[in-house]
Amino acid sequence: MTDTTDRTGPGTTLADLPLREDLRDEHPYGAPQLDVPVVLNVNENPYPVAPGIVADIAAAVAHAAAGLNRYPDREFLDLRADLAAFLRVESGAELAPEQVWAANGSNEVMLHVLQAFGGPGRRALSFAPTYSMYPEYARDTQTTWVVGQRTDAFTVDVEHARAMVREHRPSVVLLASPNNPTGTALPLATVEAVLDECSRLSQGAVVVVDEAYGEFRRSGTPSALELLPRHGNLAVSRTMSKAFSLAGARVGYLAASTAFVDALRIVRLPYHLSAVTQATARAALRHSEELLSTVGELRTRRDETVRWLRDVGFEVADSDANFVLFGRFADRHAVWQGLLERGVLIRETGPAGWLRVSIGTADEMQQFRTALQEVVSQ
Ligand SMILES: *Cc1c(COP(=O)(O)O)cnc(C)c1O
C-alpha cells in the first residue's frame, strides 16, 4: 500500500481507521496522469472543443452561475430530452426524456446501476478482458463479481455466455461494446442471447450494453439501442467523454425503459448533476454535429493504425473504438517505458503481452509510430 501517513494531522495512518475489511488492500484506480508531449492512454478525443463552442458553453455556464444560490434541477428533464434528441439523430432511437438517465460520467451511471440492481448476496457478470472499472463498481456496492472469458478474438461466445448466466444467476450483466481494452463490438445476436437467458432467471436480471465508444463503430456495426423497444431490462450506456471531446465535463448517460430509469432515480444522490454540468452538457449538445465532426477522421486513422501495425508485424485486435490493442510483447512494460522515454504515453492494460494506444492527431500517431519502431528495433 502507498504511504498514506497524514503529514498535516496527528500522524494517523489508514491502518488506524475503520476502513471496510474488503477495501484494506485496495488502491485508488486510475491511469498515470503524466505531463508528456503525446498522450494516448485514456481514449480521449485529441481535438479540443472549438472556440465558438467554448464561447457558447461559457455563456451557458455564466447564465447558470447567476442561479447558483439554488439547487439544480434534480430531474434535469431538459438535459434528458436533449440527450434523447441526440440519440434519435445518431441511432434513430425513439426515446422519451424519462427513458434517459445521466450522471457524472458513465462511471457514475454504472455505479447507480450496481447500487440499484446489485448489492450483497447478488452477482454482476461480465466477460474478460474488459473494462477494469467494472469490478470496482461491484466491489464498492458489495456485489459479487463474476467473470467469464472472451474468446481468442476477444468476442463473447454465445453458449459460454448462456452457461455463465445459468450457473451464476447474476442480477446485472455488463457487456462493453465496443469493448475496452480490445475494441471489439458484439453482434446484437449475442446481446439478445444474453437477454433471452436472463429472462429465464426467476429473479430476473438487467443487461447493460456499455457503448462508451459507440460513435466510433464501423459502418454496419449496429447499436444495441435498436433492442430497447423489446427489452425493459436492457440499458445502453453512452458518454460525452470520448467522441464528444468532453471528458473534462463528466457527463455520461444511458437509455432504457422508464422503469429501469426509475430504479436509478431511487439511489442517486439528490442534485447529483450540478447546474454547471447540466448547462455545459446542454450547450455542447446544441453543437453535437460539429463536436462529432472529428469522429470520421479518427475512425479512418484508427483503421490506418490497425493496418500499419499489422504491416510491420504486430498482432492487432479489430477495433470499432478510438483505440487499438496490439502485441504481443514478451516484456510489454519495457515497450511502454521505451515509448514514454520518447514522450509517448500509451496504456499498459489488457491481457498479458498486449498494449493499447488511443487514436490521436495525425502528428501524434506519426510520433507513436516512430517511437515504437525505435523501441522494438533496439
Ligand atoms: C471511457 C469509458 C467509459 C466512460 O467513462 P466516463 O465516466 O463517462 O468518462 C465507460 N465505459 C468504458 C468501457 C470506457 O472505456
Side-chain angles (χ1 to χ4, degrees):
M1 175 148 283
T2 46
D3 178 12
T4 52
T5 306
D6 177 4
R7 288 180 189 74
T8 62
T12 308
T13 69
L14 200 41
D16 301 322
L17 299 173
L19 185 66
R20 264 166 44 187
E21 282 307 324
D22 60 319
L23 299 179
R24 282 274 169 216
D25 297 315
E26 297 288 297
H27 299 277
Y29 170 84
Q33 291 192 306
L34 304 175
D35 189 14
V36 295
V38 181
V39 176
L40 302 172
N41 71 330
V42 286
N43 304 337
E44 295 152 332
N45 189 318
Y47 299 105
V49 175
I53 305 177
V54 170
D56 206 32
I57 291 173
V61 168
H63 183 74
L68 283 179
N69 58 313
R70 300 295 179 190
Y71 282 109
D73 176 0
R74 207 169 40 218
E75 296 294 340
F76 53 97
L77 276 163
D78 292 338
L79 172 58
R80 290 157 75 189
D82 291 350
L83 289 165
F86 167 69
L87 290 177
R88 187 169 307 122
V89 172
E90 203 267 344
S91 291
E94 289 295 336
L95 297 160
E98 292 79 7
Q99 290 180 266
V100 176
W101 186 242
N104 296 281
S106 56
N107 275 267
E108 191 184 32
V109 173
M110 289 291 194
L111 188 62
H112 289 165
V113 170
L114 271 288
Q115 285 175 320
F117 299 109
R122 292 179 165 214
R123 289 154 305 281
L125 169 68
S126 192
F127 297 88
T130 192
Y131 190 37
S132 40
M133 279 302 296
Y134 295 157
E136 305 226 349
Y137 312 139
R139 179 200 69 193
D140 293 348
T141 57
Q142 300 195 307
T143 310
T144 300
W145 173 240
V146 179
V147 67
Q149 293 302 315
R150 286 173 176 259
T151 66
D152 290 346
F154 302 126
T155 187
V156 174
D157 176 74
V158 169
E159 284 320 310
H160 173 57
R162 283 184 180 275
M164 288 297 287
V165 170
R166 276 197 303 273
E167 182 185 343
H168 297 285
R169 312 177 66 78
S171 58
V172 180
V173 183
L174 300 173
L175 299 172
S177 178
N179 183 44
N180 180 6
T182 65
T184 322
L186 294 176
L188 292 190
T190 305
V191 178
E192 286 187 290
V194 169
L195 283 161
D196 175 62
E197 202 58 53
C198 286
S199 71
R200 296 161 200 259
L201 298 176
S202 50
Q203 88 283 10
V206 296
V207 177
V208 182
V209 180
D210 181 353
E211 293 189 350
Y213 302 96
E215 294 89 349
F216 295 106
R217 65 194 189 273
R218 289 173 290 181
S219 58
T221 303
S223 165
L225 288 166
E226 283 179 27
L227 304 177
L228 284 179
R230 281 178 283 131
H231 300 278
N233 61 332
L234 171 68
V236 179
S237 86
R238 295 279 185 105
T239 180
M240 297 186 81
S241 297
K242 308 287 164 52
F244 267 96
S245 281
L246 227 61
R250 309 302 300 125
V251 184
Y253 58 102
L254 65 65
S257 63
T258 308
F260 194 119
V261 171
D262 283 345
L264 307 184
R265 290 173 58 229
I266 295 171
V267 297
R268 60 102 178 96
L269 295 173
Y271 317 112
H272 69 287
L273 215 49
S274 84
V276 169
T277 303
Q278 292 183 40
T280 302
R282 295 197 67 204
L285 284 162
R286 284 197 288 275
H287 301 278
S288 56
E289 203 173 323
E290 189 182 344
L291 281 169
L292 295 177
S293 64
T294 57
V295 165
E297 176 188 331
L298 290 166
R299 290 161 84 206
T300 303
R301 196 169 300 130
R302 180 257 331 271
D303 295 339
E304 285 165 6
T305 303
V306 169
R307 267 198 304 279
W308 180 82
L309 285 164
R310 282 182 181 150
D311 285 349
V312 296
F314 292 105
E315 207 174 323
V316 188
D318 284 333
S319 177
D320 275 280
N322 66 335
F323 55 82
V324 176
L325 189 75
F326 65 104
R328 305 179 188 182
F329 302 100
D331 184 353
R332 72 170 175 183
H333 182 74
V335 177
W336 179 86
Q337 187 70 43
L339 289 169
L340 185 58
E341 281 157 16
R342 287 161 180 80
V344 180
L345 177 62
I346 67 167
R347 191 74 180 271
E348 195 178 348
T349 186
W354 296 78
L355 291 166
R356 192 192 71 194
V357 63
S358 311
I359 302 303
T361 63
D363 182 53
E364 288 170 333
M365 296 320 283
Q366 181 56 51
Q367 294 189 59
F368 161 72
R369 289 192 294 268
T370 305
L372 182 62
Q373 285 192 303
E374 277 177 31
V375 171
V376 297
S377 65
Q378 275 184 341

